[in-house]
Amino acid sequence: MPGTGAVWVLPTWMLPAWVLPTWVLPTWVLLAWVLLALPPSLAQPQPSGRRWVTEKEARFDTTYADWVGADLINIYAFNHSVRRNRTEGVRVSVNVLSDHKDLPVLFVVRQKEAVVSFQVPLILRGLYQRKYAYQEVSRTLCQPQTKAEVETQHFYVDVSTLSLNASYQLRVTRVENFVLRTNERFSFNATAAQPQYFKYEFSEGVDSVIVKVTSAMAFPCSVISIQDILCPVYDLDNNVAFIGMYQTMTKKAAITVQKKDFPSNSFYVVVVVKTEDEACGGALPYYPLSKNASPDEPVDQHNRQKMLEVTVSPAITSEAYVSSMLFCLGIFLSFYVLTLLIACWESCRQQKRKGLLAAMDSPSLDTGHARSIPDSFLGHAPYDSYGYGSFGECRAPSLTSPPVSEQPCHPPRLAVLAGNGSSGSTEGITDSMGSAEVSYGYVGQEQFKRRTPSAPMRPLSIAMGERSLENVAGRPRLDSLSSVEEDDYDTLADIDYDKNVIRTKQYLCVADLARKDKRVLRKKYQIYFWNIATIAVFYALPVIQLVITYQTVVNVTGNQDICYYNFLCAHPLGNLSAFNNILSNLGYVLLGLLFLLIILQREINYNRALMRNDTHALECGIPKHFGLFYAMGTALMMEGLLSACYHVCPNYTNFQFDTSFMYMIAGLCMLKLYQKRHPDINASAYSAYACLALVIFFSVVGVVFGKGNTAFWIVFSVIHIVATLLLSTQLYYMGRWKLDSGILRRILHVLYTDCVRQCSGPMYVDRMVLLVMGNIVNWSLAAYGLIVRPNDFASYLLAIGICNLLLYFAFYIIMKLRSGERIKLIPLLCIVGTSVVWGFALFFFFQGLSTWQKTPAESREHNRDCILLDFFDDHDIWHFLSSIAMFGSFLVLLTLDDDLDCVQRDKIYVF
């Protein structure tokens, strides 16, 4: 038709006969004869109809309201100028007004390097293959690159359908602000059928940027994708994950983009609204079903629109990486320097003391006799009237008696000088072991005495446990451990009877629980170190392999929902997505190694003292066993390594990497605190690690199955309470009880004799106070877990261990001061400083920058910007402070009883 620009295409058979060429008529006659000669099944005529194609020159920013049918195809031709240094976005928007869901309208956009097609109603699938239909669709066209300065490009929009008549509206517009600018915010709307994407070009000197997308509304759920400048652009819910990096979003999303990953020095920021909110933690929409409706019927979601805001800002430079690493190293290496200075100062002080002692021991020129050494110089008060032999009686702590730290270790030379052992004769030994008269008193309370029944007389060597000073002084200290076993002592009947007598006394001293051969105990506690070293190797190797696989999967698939980072402060390095979270764990490793070096130096000095038969090392102070300290230092280093592995890709499937050695550290600290005054009866390494393995097992089961599971919480609470009762019984009776078939009969007998027949208080008051408090705390925690059922079971289980550790440590400090002992300056400073550091560390820990208990999108709502050097976030500072606090806590355990190094062990009380 003239003037309309439309082109009509008519089939040949519709033309009049006078128009046809002369050779066409015989052809038609021949074709008719062939059709008549064919069998009836083959001679049926095929349906045919007219097919009209109209092509129109179209303009931008003009709305075209038109219709299309089965016999009509509309083509709209557009052209626009493309400049090499300027990119303009083109957006096609359509709205089908007819309601023919089974006969959709097909739109095909033909460009220079790409073809985009979509149907309206647009059908997108959700969870369980649910269908959602959208009548309004908008798509941004991919912009092909041009090498010319200015180039005119053409594209066509074809509209077709199988419906008889479908009306629609078509509009093509240019996208304003299609190219994002650095540090400038841009707001826009998006729906599931109207996705948006924009282009960003790296500026000169910028190697990486962080793309931040925010929204005031959490739902509908959306997806943020970073894609290379390629056609086509995957911008629908069902294909946005095909290429590039992507993450789901509610209110916050952030992706760090590096220039080296995009050869064109530019990329697309794609924003897609999902059809459902389930991926972001939202509820599934109501899916209406009626008797007449098919289950496969699409649902119209109407307007799922979301307002978003995008900002692209430069990330940190390489200089920031270097300065942050130097800062991290400087903090922890300063502890090495400080330790070295303290060691040099202590060595100089010891040298001066030795020189003064040598000068005081030299004969006086005037009298020819050795000069006397003031007791104040030795660091303690003068001797009092007590007998300070190895076998003096153990007195109960009294606030009116002189402090234990002021009762010096009486040198064994008293027995040597006496010749016949006047201060340690057999009569005195028999009396002290047979009657054990004890004085116990408090301020405001009358002192009283108890006398334990006399034990049968045994040979002196057995009764005294081979602990005479002459044997101790003359025995080699570093014999081979291969032929020494703890069972050689525990299986003898008389020794077992002696343990029953000693350990069931009302008031015990360290000498009563330090009767086993030191070589046996040294071997026993060395097993702690070798076992944890073996566990560390077999635990760490598969962990490292697994997290490398996780990181590889993230890099290859681009799915950033796999790992729960703080995306607003996640700085990549190489293949690692969050290098800062890994670097901040360096403190655990360096300070754990420093603690091992300190322990090694202490053990070397102690062994040298044993080789020269130093009396203080032999018979004074808390028995020195270093195996548990080595295990604690190794556990601290492994905590740093496994925490770094966890932060390679933190999620709920590898959370135990970060918590396993936390449980071990808490358990080892409690064991070390108990070992100080109970070296003979502390748990073996095998039973201790078996219990810790059970704790880790329950941690995994609780996280996987415990969320909202009432049956699990009931079972766990019962196990928690029963374990508390069994451990309380073990501690109260010092291990002198048996769990067998007669346990109920013995319990009833004790209750009858102590509560019914006569009302008497507990025999071990101090232990009873501790255990009652411990049971109250643990029963309360069990009740809290059963009622509240916290989601973070791993942290709940760790809180149980920390509460018990703090309770026991507080009891130890109180009993130490109550027994007249004192805390020296260094451990006091460590206690105060460690407490302050722990307080700040816990503050940063509870900031909660991410949580794998929620969906990745919900976790990102807690993300925050960096707060230290634009490199470290709150959780990194928790790593710094907690490593320092753990190191300080270990130093507290190491130096807490240094005031007893010159006190005889039978004057150090057990509590």
Side-chain angles (χ1 to χ4, degrees):
M1 296 180 65
T4 62
V7 178
W8 291 6
V9 180
L10 300 179
T12 305
W13 61 270
M14 296 183 62
L15 298 176
W18 57 267
V19 179
L20 297 174
T22 56
W23 57 268
V24 173
L25 291 176
T27 304
W28 278 102
V29 173
L30 180 63
L31 180 61
W33 179 82
V34 171
L35 291 175
L36 292 174
L38 290 175
S41 60
L42 298 178
Q44 294 296 331
Q46 300 299 321
S48 60
R50 294 181 301 174
R51 205 63 184 164
W52 294 42
V53 179
T54 62
E55 182 175 340
K56 303 178 182 179
E57 294 292 335
R59 299 178 180 179
F60 284 83
D61 301 320
T62 301
T63 301
Y64 294 91
D66 213 335
W67 66 276
V68 71
D71 57 353
L72 178 62
I73 298 176
N74 293 334
I75 300 177
Y76 299 87
F78 295 86
N79 63 80
H80 65 124
S81 299
V82 179
R83 293 178 174 83
R84 184 174 58 185
N85 297 326
R86 181 180 177 185
T87 305
E88 290 184 348
V90 176
R91 190 168 181 83
V92 177
S93 302
V94 298
N95 182 17
V96 174
L97 304 178
S98 303
D99 189 12
H100 298 287
K101 296 182 180 179
D102 53 341
L103 297 172
V105 179
L106 178 65
F107 294 84
V108 179
V109 182
R110 294 177 286 130
Q111 296 178 261
K112 178 181 177 180
E113 297 180 1
V115 175
V116 178
S117 63
F118 54 89
Q119 69 177 40
V120 182
L122 179 65
I123 305 298
L124 297 176
R125 292 185 179 271
L127 195 64
Y128 309 120
Q129 296 300 313
R130 298 185 179 195
K131 292 183 178 180
Y132 300 95
Y134 300 91
Q135 297 292 123
E136 297 184 23
V137 179
S138 296
R139 303 289 298 276
T140 302
L141 302 183
C142 181
Q143 296 302 302
Q145 300 294 322
T146 179
K147 296 182 179 179
E149 188 68 27
V150 179
E151 179 183 351
T152 301
Q153 294 185 356
H154 302 269
F155 66 92
Y156 304 89
V157 180
D158 302 347
V159 186
S160 61
T161 184
L162 294 180
S163 175
L164 295 178
N165 188 348
S167 58
Y168 63 89
Q169 292 179 346
L170 172 67
R171 183 180 179 87
V172 177
T173 58
R174 290 182 173 87
V175 180
E176 296 182 1
N177 300 316
F178 181 72
V179 178
L180 300 175
R181 301 180 182 275
T182 305
N183 290 326
E184 290 188 10
R185 296 182 178 181
F186 177 67
S187 300
F188 58 93
N189 292 327
T191 67
Q194 299 175 356
Q196 298 267 20
Y197 68 85
F198 306 93
K199 183 179 180 181
Y200 179 80
E201 299 175 350
F202 283 96
S203 304
E204 288 293 333
V206 177
D207 295 327
S208 62
V209 295
I210 179 169
V211 180
K212 302 177 184 178
V213 183
T214 59
S215 176
M217 51 196 305
F219 298 106
C221 178
S222 56
V223 178
I224 310 302
S225 174
I226 302 297
Q227 301 180 19
D228 202 356
I229 306 296
L230 297 173
C231 294
V233 178
Y234 297 96
D235 59 349
L236 291 177
D237 185 23
N238 54 9
N239 62 18
V240 69
F242 287 177
I243 192 173
M245 300 178 291
Y246 65 93
Q247 58 183 231
T248 55
M249 169 191 167
T250 52
K251 292 184 176 181
K252 287 183 183 180
I255 300 179
T256 300
V257 185
Q258 300 185 79
K259 186 176 182 179
K260 64 181 182 63
D261 297 331
F262 296 92
S264 62
N265 294 335
S266 57
F267 57 87
Y268 285 137
V269 179
V270 184
V271 180
V272 178
V273 175
K274 294 184 70 66
T275 58
E276 296 173 343
D277 298 331
E278 189 270 341
C280 294
L284 287 174
Y286 175 68
Y287 199 73
L289 293 176
S290 62
K291 294 181 179 179
N292 300 327
S294 171
D296 202 38
E297 184 74 15
V299 176
D300 189 356
Q301 285 194 310
H302 303 290
N303 188 20
R304 276 176 60 87
Q305 181 172 296
K306 189 168 188 175
M307 173 69 73
L308 302 106
E309 186 177 81
V310 60
T311 306
V312 182
S313 56
I316 62 173
T317 61
S318 57
E319 289 78 8
Y321 279 85
V322 175
S323 60
S324 300
M325 286 188 283
L326 292 178
F327 171 79
C328 186
L329 285 172
I331 287 179
F332 299 112
L333 291 181
S334 64
F335 283 87
Y336 283 78
V337 176
L338 181 61
T339 302
L340 182 62
L341 293 177
I342 294 176
C344 293
W345 174 76
E346 184 68 20
S347 177
C348 294
R349 194 171 66 89
Q350 293 294 336
Q351 292 296 331
K352 290 181 180 180
R353 172 174 290 188
K354 288 181 180 179
L356 185 56
L357 286 173
M360 299 296 279
D361 286 338
S362 61
S364 174
L365 296 176
D366 299 330
T367 63
H369 298 287
R371 300 179 178 90
S372 60
I373 304 175
D375 289 309
S376 58
F377 171 76
L378 296 176
H380 50 71
Y383 296 150
D384 57 14
S385 58
Y386 287 122
Y388 286 96
S390 295
F391 318 115
E393 63 179 358
C394 175
R395 296 179 178 270
S398 172
L399 296 180
T400 60
S401 60
V404 174
S405 58
E406 296 180 2
Q407 302 172 6
C409 176
H410 198 280
R413 66 180 176 218
L414 291 178
V416 177
L417 292 176
N420 57 358
S422 57
S423 64
S425 61
T426 305
E427 293 80 8
I429 295 171
T430 304
D431 181 69
S432 64
M433 292 300 297
S435 58
E437 184 176 272
V438 182
S439 174
Y440 194 95
Y442 299 92
V443 176
Q445 180 181 1
E446 182 181 358
Q447 292 187 354
F448 60 92
K449 295 183 179 181
R450 287 193 180 184
R451 180 177 296 270
T452 58
S454 299
M457 283 297 297
R458 284 185 290 273
L460 179 61
S461 60
I462 297 178
M464 301 319 301
E466 301 290 343
R467 289 174 53 84
S468 65
L469 295 177
E470 292 82 3
N471 291 339
V472 170
R475 186 175 58 195
R477 306 306 304 171
L478 298 177
D479 295 342
S480 173
L481 304 178
S482 59
S483 61
V484 184
E485 296 293 340
E486 186 179 3
D487 292 340
D488 296 342
Y489 296 84
D490 283 349
T491 55
L492 298 178
D494 51 355
I495 294 298
D496 188 66
Y497 181 78
D498 185 64
K499 287 193 295 185
N500 286 327
V501 172
I502 295 298
R503 296 181 191 176
T504 54
K505 293 195 305 183
Q506 184 174 7
Y507 305 113
L508 289 171
C509 292
V510 171
D512 297 325
L513 298 180
R515 301 165 58 81
K516 294 181 181 178
D517 192 284
K518 291 181 176 61
R519 298 172 299 167
V520 177
L521 295 182
R522 180 170 176 264
K523 181 180 179 181
K524 173 183 177 180
Y525 294 123
Q526 277 181 339
I527 297 177
Y528 274 96
F529 168 70
W530 292 115
N531 278 9
I532 201 170
T534 305
I535 292 170
V537 171
F538 283 93
Y539 200 99
L541 291 179
V543 166
I544 295 174
Q545 182 180 5
L546 179 62
V547 297
I548 290 176
T549 303
Y550 269 122
Q551 185 66 72
T552 303
V553 170
V554 172
N555 295 338
V556 171
T557 64
N559 183 5
Q560 298 202 354
D561 283 354
I562 297 176
C563 307
Y564 287 72
Y565 303 117
N566 175 20
F567 288 90
L568 291 178
C569 187
H571 304 296
L573 181 65
N575 292 327
L576 300 175
S577 299
F579 173 71
N580 54 304
N581 295 146
I582 299 172
L583 176 64
S584 59
N585 288 282
L586 184 64
Y588 296 106
V589 179
L590 292 181
L591 294 182
L593 178 61
L594 177 59
F595 185 73
L596 290 179
L597 295 177
I598 293 173
I599 298 302
L600 178 62
Q601 181 61 33
R602 280 216 167 195
E603 186 179 24
I604 291 174
N605 293 337
Y606 178 68
N607 289 335
R608 288 174 180 174
L610 293 180
M611 292 296 294
R612 63 175 182 264
N613 292 328
D614 187 287
T615 57
H616 288 175
L618 292 172
E619 291 299 320
C620 295
I622 297 295
K624 304 294 189 297
H625 301 292
F626 300 97
L628 271 170
F629 281 129
Y630 282 119
M632 291 162 57
T634 305
L636 184 59
M637 295 180 65
M638 286 305 303
E639 171 60 30
L641 175 62
L642 294 180
S643 178
C645 290
Y646 167 75
H647 284 90
V648 170
C649 182
N651 57 68
Y652 90 101
T653 60
N654 59 8
F655 74 96
Q656 67 272 18
F657 304 162
D658 192 32
T659 57
S660 295
F661 276 83
M662 289 185 183
Y663 301 135
M664 288 194 173
I665 289 174
L668 291 174
C669 288
M670 281 190 282
L671 287 171
K672 184 59 192 179
L673 204 56
Y674 186 77
Q675 182 209 51
K676 283 178 170 289
R677 314 251 172 172
H678 311 77
D680 284 359
I681 61 174
N682 203 19
S684 66
Y686 308 112
S687 58
Y689 288 130
C691 293
L692 292 173
L694 287 177
V695 172
I696 296 174
F697 170 77
F698 277 111
S699 175
V700 175
V701 173
V703 170
V704 177
F705 303 105
K707 190 173 182 179
N709 192 335
T710 305
F712 168 79
W713 281 100
I714 293 175
V715 173
F716 175 77
S717 299
V718 171
I719 294 176
H720 183 192
I721 293 173
V722 171
T724 301
L725 292 175
L726 292 177
L727 182 61
S728 300
T729 306
Q730 176 74 13
L731 296 177
Y732 185 77
Y733 290 106
M734 295 286 187
R736 310 315 301 162
W737 71 290
K738 293 182 179 180
L739 183 60
D740 52 19
S741 58
I743 185 67
L744 293 178
R745 177 178 53 83
R746 293 195 295 273
I747 291 175
L748 293 176
H749 177 71
V750 171
L751 292 176
Y752 174 74
T753 55
D754 291 354
C755 299
V756 178
R757 193 171 176 183
Q758 62 177 5
C759 186
S760 59
M763 185 174 182
Y764 312 112
V765 180
D766 298 331
R767 274 178 263 171
M768 179 59 70
V769 171
L770 169 65
L771 296 175
V772 167
M773 294 175 60
N775 277 267
I776 292 175
V777 171
N778 282 276
W779 284 52
S780 301
L781 290 172
Y784 171 81
L786 186 60
I787 296 172
V788 179
R789 283 176 285 182
N791 293 328
D792 192 354
F793 182 80
S795 298
Y796 166 76
L797 197 59
L798 184 61
I800 294 176
I802 293 177
C803 287
N804 283 276
L805 174 60
L806 292 178
L807 177 65
Y808 188 34
F809 181 74
F811 172 82
Y812 192 94
I813 294 293
I814 293 172
M815 291 301 299
K816 180 178 178 66
L817 298 177
R818 177 176 171 272
S819 301
E821 303 172 10
R822 62 186 179 90
I823 301 177
K824 298 181 74 172
L825 179 61
I826 290 181
L828 182 61
L829 292 177
C830 288
I831 292 174
V832 175
T834 301
S835 300
V836 174
V837 175
W838 269 124
F840 284 103
L842 291 175
F843 170 78
F844 287 103
F845 175 76
F846 286 113
Q847 296 304 305
L849 302 181
S850 62
T851 171
W852 43 259
Q853 298 169 27
K854 299 181 180 179
T855 63
E858 291 175 313
S859 173
R860 276 185 278 273
E861 294 182 14
H862 304 280
N863 289 176
R864 296 184 185 177
D865 292 324
C866 304
I867 62 173
L868 179 62
L869 301 178
D870 290 330
F871 192 83
F872 299 109
D873 60 14
D874 298 73
H875 198 74
D876 294 325
I877 298 179
W878 149 256
H879 287 161
F880 290 148
L881 297 180
S882 62
S883 61
I884 296 172
M886 286 186 184
F887 177 71
S889 301
F890 289 0
L891 291 181
V892 170
L893 293 178
L894 179 64
T895 61
L896 185 59
D897 289 316
D898 283 355
D899 60 302
L900 302 177
D901 285 345
C902 293
V903 179
Q904 197 76 13
R905 287 173 190 162
D906 52 10
K907 300 298 183 294
I908 303 175
Y909 308 114
V910 172
F911 40 79

